[in-house]
Amino acid sequence: MSSSANSFQALVRLLRYARGYRRRIIAATTCSIINKIFDIAPEILIGVAIDVVVNQERSFVARLGFTTPQEQILMLAVLTFFIWAGESIFEYLYKILWRNLAQRLQADMRLDTYEHAQRLDMAFFESRSSGQLVATMNDDVNQLERFLDGGANSLIQVGVTVVAVGAVFFVISPLIALLAFTPIPMIIWGAFFFQRKAGPLYADVREKVGDLASRLSNNLSGIATIKSFTSEDREAARLRATSEAYVEANRRAIRVSSAFIPVIRMAILAGFLATFTVGGMLALRGDLNVGAYGVLVFLTQRLLWPLTGLAEVIDLFERAMASTRRILDLLAVPITVKDNEGKPLAAPVRGEVSFESVSFHYASSGVGVDGVSLRVPEGNTLALVGATGSGKSTLIKLLLRFYDPEAGRVCIDGQPIGEVSLNSLRQSIGLVSQDVYLFEGSIRDNIAYGKPDADEAEVIEAARTAEAWDFIQELPQGLDTPVGERGIRLSGGQRQRLSLARALLKDPPILVLDEATSAVDNETEAAIQRSLLKIGLGRTVIMIAHRLSTIVHADEIVVIDGGRVVEQGTHGALIERGGRYAAQWKVQTGAAQDAMALS
């Protein structure tokens, strides 16, 4: 499909998206049209004034009842005042309308894009970089806003100029109109020719913007790793290469768009010279009124010179349509994990969890789980054990409905989770993962994230239960201490305890711990273990753990390998069986004894 067709298709999609703004668009367009008509009128009045001075009582204005030249001049002066006032008023109105429309549309589009992205499946985020998404929601939306802020008005006014001036030309002199309009087809053809050339180049520019944003985001997030490996120069070189790719993409687009004005300027000169010379000859012969000749000369400027700005308008338009395609393509990404709104889990949620012959495989790698059947009675603790990639975390993702199983079903209290609302499902589950994410804000904000209306007593109680209250009290600002971006001002153990407190304040009937103690020190692990003894009372707990010492008290331990259940039972029963769990236990406890002997 050609660039012109792509841009037109993007414009149609944008207008379809913006149908709720139709009245604002019509009002802004109307003000742009009226403003341009007023803007053209002074050139006509100049010609009429020349006619008054030359022909006096025989002028065009005299036919309207103004007999003396003085009356005619005064009438033109009054008319000029109202025309300039009208032009100023409608310029103010169209700027207000277009700019407010641009701001409102870009704000709504950014919010719609973000809200849609939040509902997309986890598979989408695993296949897209965050930098590309940020570039779409921010830079692309801003690019569209810049076009609406000025380019849309310019495009409309160029069209109005051609139609209005053309009408005056054909009324005064069809011959000169034909000569003046001869360059216009070439100008329009040139505009679309350059547009076809520039369209793919600006699409490439938008991609390079996303690459650059992704590189910056990744590097700033991993600044500690960069510093620890003394890779500052290497990362700066990689960023420089990405930045240069963006500059080069822009250079290619600029080279094409910049060639438009010099080429079109020569076409405009031909039209102007034709009006100037042919019209002058006709006026000298008496075949054309001197005032009409003045009108034609001035209007030729009004007709043709604005077309030089068409290059900039086309440039803005192409950038905006490239951005629009990316925005609307993101909004068009389908949501496969459907939300059954209005169908909550039956209250009260007891917390019984069952996986019934569940199978699921990731499209990118093919790994997953095959025919897993498990049942966790309400109030019990289930521990999942296995090597990395065996399928433990996949079961948790299926329980939270980050994905839907290919076969089988997951149930809570006997209800298939695919038949209930995502809100009620996820409100019933508290997740504490190995990779703790704290939002920028205070400790209080992060603990109360799942229950924003919680009072201070509830926040403190959750912190006590998670054994986080002692270190919080020692901080200068206590609960109001800022945690920094991603909790960078706190230690790993402190972040983990806050994550546990956050899940506890939510008070879910089901608590999921996804390797919650794998990256903490022994003291923090012991604190979390003590917390779990309290937390597990009357609550269903599902734990994923590599340290087997943390799960010895679980009601049932399930060993998963290659996506299948290979062993299950209590800690004692599995040790007696002498299988994989017992072998792993022997390795871990033996390693611990060796470490103690070495120390």
Side-chain angles (χ1 to χ4, degrees):
M1 187 180 293
S2 70
S3 173
S4 300
N6 279 330
S7 296
F8 179 74
Q9 185 184 62
L11 180 60
V12 171
R13 292 174 66 192
L14 176 62
L15 291 173
R16 192 179 300 128
Y17 170 83
R19 57 183 176 272
Y21 307 86
R22 192 168 297 161
R23 289 185 179 179
R24 300 186 193 186
I25 294 172
I26 292 172
T29 302
T30 302
C31 289
S32 293
I33 292 171
I34 296 174
N35 168 260
K36 180 47 65 175
I37 292 172
F38 277 127
D39 184 48
I40 294 169
E43 274 69 21
I44 299 175
L45 290 181
I46 291 172
V48 174
I50 294 171
D51 180 50
V52 168
V53 172
V54 173
N55 295 312
Q56 298 187 15
E57 285 81 2
R58 292 175 288 107
S59 70
F60 169 76
V61 178
R63 301 175 205 168
L64 301 177
F66 300 92
T67 54
T68 67
Q70 290 78 11
E71 289 178 352
Q72 295 170 30
I73 292 294
L74 287 173
M75 188 276 292
L76 289 178
V78 172
L79 190 58
T80 299
F81 171 79
F82 283 107
I83 286 173
W84 278 71
E87 180 188 357
S88 299
I89 290 169
F90 281 97
E91 181 176 3
Y92 170 77
L93 291 175
Y94 84 65
K95 284 184 176 179
I96 288 289
L97 289 169
W98 278 118
R99 288 175 179 177
N100 285 339
L101 173 65
Q103 292 300 317
R104 184 71 268 151
L105 184 60
Q106 63 95 11
D108 290 348
M109 182 170 274
R110 181 179 290 112
L111 184 60
D112 288 347
T113 308
Y114 174 73
E115 288 181 343
H116 180 73
Q118 282 194 131
R119 294 192 296 270
L120 290 174
D121 313 330
M122 290 302 295
F124 172 82
F125 294 97
E126 291 170 359
S127 63
R128 302 287 183 96
S129 73
S130 59
Q132 288 284 355
L133 293 176
V134 170
T136 299
M137 294 180 197
N138 189 47
D139 197 67
D140 283 329
V141 172
N142 288 341
Q143 191 67 55
L144 177 60
E145 182 258 338
R146 282 191 284 272
F147 170 70
L148 292 174
D149 199 30
N153 170 71
S154 299
L155 204 58
I156 291 167
Q157 292 201 334
V158 166
V160 172
T161 300
V162 171
V163 173
V165 173
V168 174
F169 264 64
F170 277 98
V171 167
I172 295 176
S173 174
L175 173 61
I176 296 179
L178 184 63
L179 293 173
F181 272 72
T182 298
I184 290 181
M186 180 181 175
I187 293 171
I188 294 174
W189 175 85
F192 282 102
F193 172 79
F194 281 100
Q195 180 218 18
R196 285 195 300 273
K197 294 290 185 182
L201 299 178
Y202 281 123
D204 186 45
V205 168
R206 304 317 313 150
E207 288 298 319
K208 294 298 187 292
V209 168
D211 293 342
L212 187 58
S214 182
R215 173 70 63 194
L216 285 168
S217 176
N218 287 338
N219 282 16
L220 291 175
S221 297
I223 192 67
T225 303
I226 292 172
K227 286 179 176 293
S228 68
F229 282 91
T230 62
S231 298
E232 292 91 341
D233 291 341
R234 189 197 323 162
E235 290 302 329
R238 292 171 69 182
L239 180 62
R240 187 179 301 112
T242 306
S243 182
E244 285 300 319
Y246 171 60
V247 170
E248 181 57 32
N250 256 311
R251 185 182 293 120
R252 289 193 295 268
I254 291 168
R255 187 164 53 242
V256 171
S257 62
S258 297
F260 179 79
I261 290 180
V263 173
I264 299 309
R265 189 182 291 271
M266 300 311 297
I268 289 171
L269 177 62
F272 177 75
L273 288 176
T275 304
F276 184 77
T277 55
V278 175
M281 294 298 179
L282 291 175
L284 288 172
R285 289 207 313 257
D287 295 334
L288 183 65
N289 183 288
V290 174
Y293 174 59
V295 169
L296 293 178
V297 170
F298 286 119
L299 284 183
T300 301
Q301 297 274 43
R302 280 292 185 184
L303 172 67
L304 298 177
W305 284 115
L307 294 176
T308 60
L310 200 59
E312 294 181 11
V313 177
I314 293 292
D315 186 71
L316 272 175
F317 178 75
E318 274 301 326
R319 288 176 182 266
M321 290 306 101
S323 293
T324 297
R325 281 192 295 273
R326 284 162 54 94
I327 296 165
L328 296 180
D329 285 348
L330 177 55
L331 284 170
V333 174
I335 300 170
T336 56
V337 177
K338 301 296 183 182
D339 189 1
N340 293 296
E341 296 181 23
K343 296 182 179 179
L345 280 166
V349 178
R350 303 190 311 277
E352 178 188 300
V353 177
S354 59
F355 296 85
E356 301 175 3
S357 302
V358 170
S359 295
F360 172 81
H361 300 87
Y362 297 100
S364 58
S365 62
V367 300
V369 292
D370 291 290
V372 172
S373 293
L374 295 171
R375 179 178 174 274
V376 189
E378 60 181 278
N380 277 24
T381 296
L382 170 72
L384 299 175
V385 178
T388 300
S390 60
K392 306 181 301 298
S393 294
T394 300
L395 292 175
I396 300 306
K397 292 176 181 178
L398 293 173
L399 175 61
L400 285 159
R401 276 202 80 201
F402 290 163
Y403 301 92
D404 279 332
E406 298 159 2
R409 64 179 190 171
V410 183
C411 299
I412 292 179
D413 295 344
Q415 288 181 269
I417 62 173
E419 298 176 4
V420 300
S421 70
L422 289 172
N423 183 65
S424 68
L425 168 67
R426 292 170 184 168
Q427 282 291 333
S428 302
I429 302 171
L431 174 66
V432 182
S433 63
Q434 176 184 1
D435 184 19
V436 176
Y437 191 97
L438 297 183
F439 295 91
E440 191 164 5
S442 68
I443 288 177
R444 184 196 310 274
D445 295 336
N446 276 277
I447 293 177
Y449 186 76
K451 190 179 178 182
D453 58 345
D455 58 36
E456 183 159 330
E458 292 177 290
V459 172
I460 293 173
E461 181 58 31
R464 287 186 190 279
T465 306
E467 299 214 11
W469 183 238
D470 288 344
F471 86 77
I472 293 173
Q473 284 182 301
E474 293 173 1
L475 296 172
Q477 295 174 261
L479 285 171
D480 296 316
T481 301
V483 301
E485 187 177 3
R486 296 181 64 93
I488 195 170
R489 297 183 183 180
L490 304 177
S491 70
Q494 290 172 334
R495 291 197 295 270
Q496 194 65 267
R497 295 189 208 189
L498 290 186
S499 176
L500 184 57
R502 178 168 62 189
L504 292 176
L505 184 58
K506 184 180 176 182
D507 194 25
I510 302 168
L511 182 64
V512 175
L513 305 172
D514 188 355
E515 299 186 33
T517 62
S518 63
V520 298
D521 54 54
N522 291 333
E523 181 184 348
T524 302
E525 180 184 351
I528 292 176
Q529 285 298 105
R530 290 193 298 270
S531 300
L532 291 177
L533 292 176
K534 306 174 190 175
I535 295 164
L537 296 174
R539 193 192 312 270
T540 302
V541 179
I542 299 177
M543 303 172 62
I544 294 176
H546 279 126
R547 297 184 186 178
L548 302 186
S549 58
T550 63
I551 61 169
V552 293
H553 300 297
D555 296 295
E556 185 169 32
I557 299 170
V558 173
V559 181
I560 299 178
D561 184 57
R564 297 179 179 277
V565 175
V566 292
E567 289 181 350
Q568 62 186 108
T570 62
H571 171 75
L574 290 174
I575 293 295
E576 289 181 9
R577 187 176 301 170
R580 298 190 186 190
Y581 180 84
Q584 190 174 347
W585 174 260
K586 187 177 295 184
V587 168
Q588 289 192 11
T589 54
Q593 291 170 358
D594 290 344
M596 289 177 64
L598 286 171
S599 64

